[in-house]
Amino acid sequence: MDKSITLPPDEIFRNLENAKRFAIDIGGSLTKLAYYSTVQHKVAKVRSFDHSAKETEGDPLYEISVQEEITARLHFIKFENAYIETCLDFIKDHLVNTETKVIKATGGGAYKFKDLIEKKLKLKVDKEDEMTCLIKGCNFVLKNIPHEAFVYAKHADSEFRFQNTHPDIFPYLLINIGSGVSIVKVEAEDKFERIGGSSIGGGTFWGLGALLTKTKRFDELLQLASKGQHTNVDMLVKDIYGGAYGSLGLTGDLIASSFGKSATTDKEFSKEDMAKSLLHMISNDIGQLACLYAKLHNLTRVYFGGFFIRGHPVTMHTITYSINFFTKGEVQALFLRHEGYLGAIGAFLKGAEEDNPNQYSWGENYAGSSGLMSVSPELNPVQRARSGTFDMLEMDRLERQLVNLPLLQDPTSYIPDTVELTEDALARVYWLYCFEEALDGVVKRAIASQKDQPEAVERAEKFRQKYRHKLQTLRHQPFAYGSLTVRSLLDTREHCLNEFNFPDPYSKIKQKENDMALKYYLKVVKSVEELSWEQRQFTLVKGLLAGNVFDWGAKAVSDVLESDPEFGFEQAKQQLQERPWLVDAYNQWIERLKGPPHKCALFFVDNSGIDIILGVFPFIRELLIRGTEVVLASNSGPALNDVTNSELQILTERIAAMDPVIHTALKEDRLALVQNGSSSPCLDLSRLDKVLATVVRERGTDLVIIEGMGRAIHTNYYAMLSCESLKLAVIKNSWLAERLGGKIFSVVFKYEVPSKAQG
Amino acid sequence: MALSGGAADRGSHSMDKSITLPPDEIFRNLENAKRFAIDIGGSLTKLAYYSTVQHKVAKVRSFDHSAKETDGDPLYEISVQEEITARLHFIKFENAYIETCLDFIKDHLVNTETKVIKATGGGAYKFKDLIEKKLKLKVDKEDEMTCLIKGCNFVLKNIPHEAFVYAKHADSEFRFQNTHPDIFPYLLINIGSGVSIVKVEAEDKFERIGGSSIGGGTFWGLGALLTKTKRFDELLQLASKGQHTNVDMLVKDIYGGAYGSLGLTGDLIASSFGKSATTDKEFSKEDMAKSLLHMISNDIGQLACLYAKLHNLTRVYFGGFFIRGHPVTMHTITYSINFFTKGEVQALFLRHEGYLGAIGAFLKGAEEDSNLTCWRWTVWIGS
């Protein structure tokens, strides 16, 4: 142990000052530290002025203030055991505000380092059962991290195929391949059983490998294996029978006997070949055992973890191959992105049970997390050199509990994202380029939003570096954070902006636009009222679409808006594509409107300003008049120029003050405002605020309207709902428009009615 | 995942024609041998033939009682006569002797009308030309697995107390089982170079339901690499003297004792060869061989149990060269089966396990001769 190792600790042990609760998982070679900390960060708040006072012309609509908010965050750090003393010292020095007396510990190494930890940290080591921690951690990540599990396919276009979060994660089988193998059946949160195991595991590969090749390092053994030819050492079926053993269904290339050739040959075998043969032997054996246990217990979800698997494409490949072979493709080998942290997460959760961590939803913070396999030398030597031996995961406690939209036709098969960029190289290249291109604009906007703070420039620059680095990482490892989608790129950008205290760069612009749009509200409503029914419906839909042109998230539009702020509502309407639209279900929609009114419409709104005030409100006003209740779902936190729930509350009040229809609807509770639980410009219908789900259920919602590119095109374009739905957007990106077979400003107006059989 | 005959031919280059056999005692009744079958495994050859044996029998005969009885005449007459009966012969020898043996057979094969020799085993195709040249018989290859199962069915049905349970520390090491009137269904775990797991449901109905590449060849191959000991028997000798706890990582090495909540005792092997992963010291050949033996036996034991459970089978027989006559491997396999099934399934071994393939191949040939099929055999197996 070398105390002189210099850590870049500020970047690694983040927020240590407020750390409250510690847990440590010490494995054979790696230590995983978990702590819970509070993060103080800036949030933008809006507040209505007191309107009883006389209004002065030119006063802003509402007040924007930046406040400090404290949120909870989970930090996980992984480092080699060699650094443990140095790390403990560092923690000791920075642990100022903690009242913690105890550190939860798990893992085989926990008892070895107990004294050291107690001496260094002056905390009492409280040992927790390793398997319980592992399972607790596994349940936690499966529930809380979207795309936690993936299938590995070495030769496919996309090596990693991420799985959707199942609403019900149980039952499953966990095959933990550490020194040995444990096979655990997990049936419920607190119900698991070790149903089997094997002594032929990672320790056997390492131990026998070391004896055979004189190579002492596990990673080097894997390296050797990846270069070897097992057929030089193994006896194949064809070595015995001269070909396949057809009547038994054994192909000639099947391994008949691992190391069978070394039994009778006197020649020397290469280290590479022996390592490869050993790897196959062990992986196949574990694969077969896993399959047999899965079959015996009737389980189809089988997750693999442990240091044998951890981030090693070589072992993931051989295990996957083995599972495919033995189950004839019926069972898929699943791996976990944060597999290395399970024990630490579980130990932490054990200690934090009084905080009820399971009552909250948690989200991975992309800004503070190393990606998948950031330490895998085979994949990205550059990054390995950079991030050294430290790997991090941060999870934010979300303020709200997130659940499925009850109206999803099949929650288990719902995939929010329309295009999976890890599988679509062309789209990936484009979008990564697109986000990189847009970065200057975002930085400029961020600085402009905090003109009064001179150090904003510096922070914005840090933001730029961080986000650019993430984009570069994603270029090399598209799978670093699970699925790669336009949504994840947008979300990562929001996380990075928040990280550097740019909580809402668009707040002032939104304020200005909202203010301006409100002035036109009555005029728009009046002009619509004068039209015939048919004309009125068309104008309302056009208004909705025209409003959606005002979107700072789309580069083409932000260019126009920056240079020409007078770009008005009417002009926007003219920009729209003439009917027939790119996707045009308008006639069906009108036919439907001629029928009885909907009971309740849930509207996922998009942008501030013209969009919400002159597009959405006149439209829902018509619905309200028809007798349909309306629920407006808006973002809980800021994202681009999307209207947030707190902004929408103020806007609605102001509109209600002008418009008796809205006023009455609010008073009679036929118009409700709810937050969606998200701070993303996109929409994941499987992670929505619990209150929203309740409202939707209680009101018998029978129409869902999703507006905007982020929510209706990048996500949910193919989402199947159990009630009628309207997805509408203007395509403000020429690349995407072309891909869909249209031009920029093409209109998507998708009206879907579920077939009765499924409803 | 191989069958019994996997291991490569160990001695083809070292055949020694000068070895003197005591052939009269071994190849008995060869003069009248009629029907041949040969099973050539990785290291051993098993030869089967059918012959007629002339031997003396005591006969009693009543006198003719219609004739006048003389006092003092004996009750009946005793005479010794020559009788000819059919006998099956099975001989096992190392592959190294194959050429010598073939020569001997050739020289003594006088009365046979046989034109064909049934052959099976992985080595059958290697020695085909040699056999055809030496014996002037056409080699007729039979499917190895079919022969093995046929042979197994035959011994289970025809030989009382064929199967036994092995108990190292019991008063009697071998506990022979009664012959079940109905031998089906059963599971046969054949541990040759690799492992084949075969479910047998009826005389002609069997299926290879599983297998593993970790078998006898792995013990031999890895053992040879680790200990520089090239002979299988010597490796077993080494293993019987070793201490696996020096090489294996036990549950107590990780947790300081038992892992009670999971029901794992402290002495349980957590990781085979786990200690050699991180220790720099030298390990003894004996210890490594023992650890390897445990690793392989436990693995096969677990697979056997899982397949038995999945297919609802309780009779599990073990065979193949890994088992054949080796108390060491029978013990570790028995231990493993007891551990994994908590005593619900017993590991069964066969007295004549080494002959199954040869018996089966012979029977295949005999089927073509309807006279032989319905015989009930009194088995004489030369050993």
Side-chain angles (χ1 to χ4, degrees), chain A residues 151-161 420-426 428 476 478-479:
Chain A
V151 165
Y152 184 78
K154 190 181 177 186
H155 301 294
D157 286 345
S158 147
E159 278 189 327
F160 300 83
R161 286 212 318 280
E420 174 52 61
L421 299 180
T422 57
E423 289 170 13
D424 187 337
L426 222 64
R428 178 170 75 237
H476 294 295
F479 40 78

Side-chain angles (χ1 to χ4, degrees), chain A residues 146 254 304 376 464 485 710 742:
Chain A
L254 198 71
F304 287 84
S376 180
R464 184 209 299 275
T485 59

Side-chain angles (χ1 to χ4, degrees), chain A residues 108 111 129-132 179-182 192 194 196-204 206-208 210-212 216 233 235 237-242 245 247-248 250 254-260 262-266 269 274 278 281 284-285 288-289 292-293 295-296 325-326, chain B residues 1-3 5-8 10 122 125 143-146 193-195 206 208 210-214 217-218 220-222 224-226 230 249 252-256 259 261-262 264 269-274 276-280 283 288 292 295 299 302-303 306-307 309-310 340:
Chain A
Y111 84 95
D129 179 72
E130 188 173 351
M131 192 59 77
T132 309
S179 299
V181 181
S182 278
F192 69 87
R194 184 184 188 275
S198 166
S199 72
I200 305 183
T204 312
W206 198 348
L208 267 177
L211 290 173
L212 292 172
K216 278 280 168 194
V233 184
M235 184 177 288
V237 167
K238 66 181 173 197
D239 294 323
I240 303 176
Y241 300 101
Y245 193 149
S247 65
L248 296 183
L250 308 175
L254 198 71
I255 305 173
S257 175
S258 292
F259 288 90
S262 61
T264 46
T265 320
D266 265 325
F269 295 95
M274 289 189 291
L278 192 59
M281 176 181 107
N284 285 336
D285 190 53
Q288 174 156 225
L289 287 174
L292 288 170
Y293 279 106
K295 259 191 221 166
L296 260 177
F325 176 83
F326 287 110
Chain B
M1 285 150 234
L3 311 170
R10 178 162 53 125
Y125 85 93
D143 180 72
E144 186 173 353
M145 189 60 76
T146 308
S193 298
V195 180
F206 68 88
R208 183 184 188 276
S212 165
S213 73
I214 305 183
T218 312
W220 197 350
L222 267 177
L225 290 173
L226 292 171
K230 279 280 169 193
M249 186 178 284
K252 68 182 172 196
D253 293 323
I254 304 177
Y255 298 102
Y259 193 150
S261 65
L262 295 185
L264 307 177
I269 305 173
S271 175
S272 292
F273 290 88
S276 61
T278 45
T279 322
D280 264 325
F283 296 96
M288 289 189 291
L292 192 59
M295 175 181 110
D299 190 52
Q302 173 156 224
L303 288 175
L306 289 170
Y307 279 106
K309 259 191 220 167
L310 259 179
F340 286 109

Side-chain angles (χ1 to χ4, degrees), chain B residues 78-354:
Chain B
I78 303 171
S79 66
V80 171
Q81 297 176 6
E82 292 286 324
E83 199 183 65
I84 292 174
T85 56
R87 185 176 290 173
L88 280 175
H89 297 260
F90 297 97
I91 300 121
K92 186 160 68 178
F93 49 87
E94 289 193 23
N95 287 355
Y97 301 99
I98 198 164
E99 198 159 353
T100 321
C101 290
L102 291 175
D103 281 336
F104 183 86
I105 295 166
K106 178 72 185 51
D107 295 342
H108 290 75
L109 212 57
V110 277
N111 297 327
T112 190
E113 299 143 28
T114 306
K115 299 272 181 295
V116 164
I117 180 166
K118 291 282 177 189
T120 189
Y125 85 93
K126 270 193 203 147
F127 292 99
K128 183 172 181 285
D129 292 344
L130 184 72
I131 299 168
E132 297 198 332
K133 200 186 77 192
K134 294 272 182 195
L135 297 189
K136 307 270 183 291
L137 296 177
K138 192 176 157 295
V139 169
D140 196 3
K141 276 183 61 187
E142 285 295 337
D143 180 72
E144 186 173 353
M145 189 60 76
T146 308
C147 291
L148 187 73
I149 301 302
K150 248 192 155 35
C152 193
N153 292 340
F154 182 83
V155 297
L156 285 175
K157 275 187 188 160
N158 290 292
I159 309 186
H161 297 153
E162 172 63 25
F164 63 90
V165 165
Y166 183 80
K168 191 181 174 185
H169 300 295
D171 285 347
S172 146
E173 274 189 326
F174 302 87
R175 286 212 317 281
F176 291 97
Q177 309 292 297
N178 287 318
T179 322
H180 244 269
D182 187 10
I183 62 168
F184 304 109
Y186 66 87
L187 202 58
L188 177 66
I189 317 285
N190 195 54
I191 316 175
S193 298
V195 180
S196 277
I197 298 173
V198 188
K199 175 183 173 185
V200 185
E201 289 183 283
E203 192 61 58
D204 290 309
K205 194 178 171 202
F206 68 88
E207 190 191 351
R208 183 184 188 276
I209 55 174
S212 165
S213 73
I214 305 183
T218 312
F219 176 72
W220 197 350
L222 267 177
L225 290 173
L226 292 171
T227 66
K228 314 287 169 217
T229 305
K230 279 280 169 193
R231 282 180 50 88
F232 182 72
D233 289 354
E234 282 173 29
L235 280 169
L236 280 181
Q237 279 279 318
L238 283 178
S240 64
K241 286 179 264 170
Q243 270 298 331
H244 75 100
T245 52
N246 293 335
V247 185
D248 290 343
M249 186 178 284
L250 308 185
V251 167
K252 68 182 172 196
D253 293 323
I254 304 177
Y255 298 102
Y259 193 150
S261 65
L262 295 185
L264 307 177
T265 60
D267 285 327
L268 197 70
I269 305 173
S271 175
S272 292
F273 290 88
K275 281 188 184 146
S276 61
T278 45
T279 322
D280 264 325
K281 70 166 199 170
E282 283 285 305
F283 296 96
S284 82
K285 289 179 181 191
E286 287 81 2
D287 293 349
M288 289 189 291
K290 182 61 165 282
S291 172
L292 192 59
L293 177 66
H294 274 302
M295 175 181 110
I296 293 170
S297 299
N298 286 336
D299 190 52
I300 296 171
Q302 173 156 224
L303 288 175
C305 293
L306 289 170
Y307 279 106
K309 259 191 220 167
L310 259 179
H311 292 265
N312 224 353
L313 299 169
T314 51
R315 271 172 288 180
V316 182
Y317 300 100
F318 286 85
F321 82 77
F322 184 69
I323 295 297
R324 205 155 296 162
H326 301 298
V328 190
T329 55
M330 285 195 287
H331 172 64
T332 52
I333 286 283
T334 300
Y335 180 89
S336 165
I337 292 284
N338 281 342
F339 176 83
F340 286 109
T341 68
K342 299 182 181 73
E344 279 171 35
V345 171
Q346 282 191 316
L348 294 166
F349 303 96
L350 300 172
R351 284 201 290 144
H352 301 104
E353 184 280 322

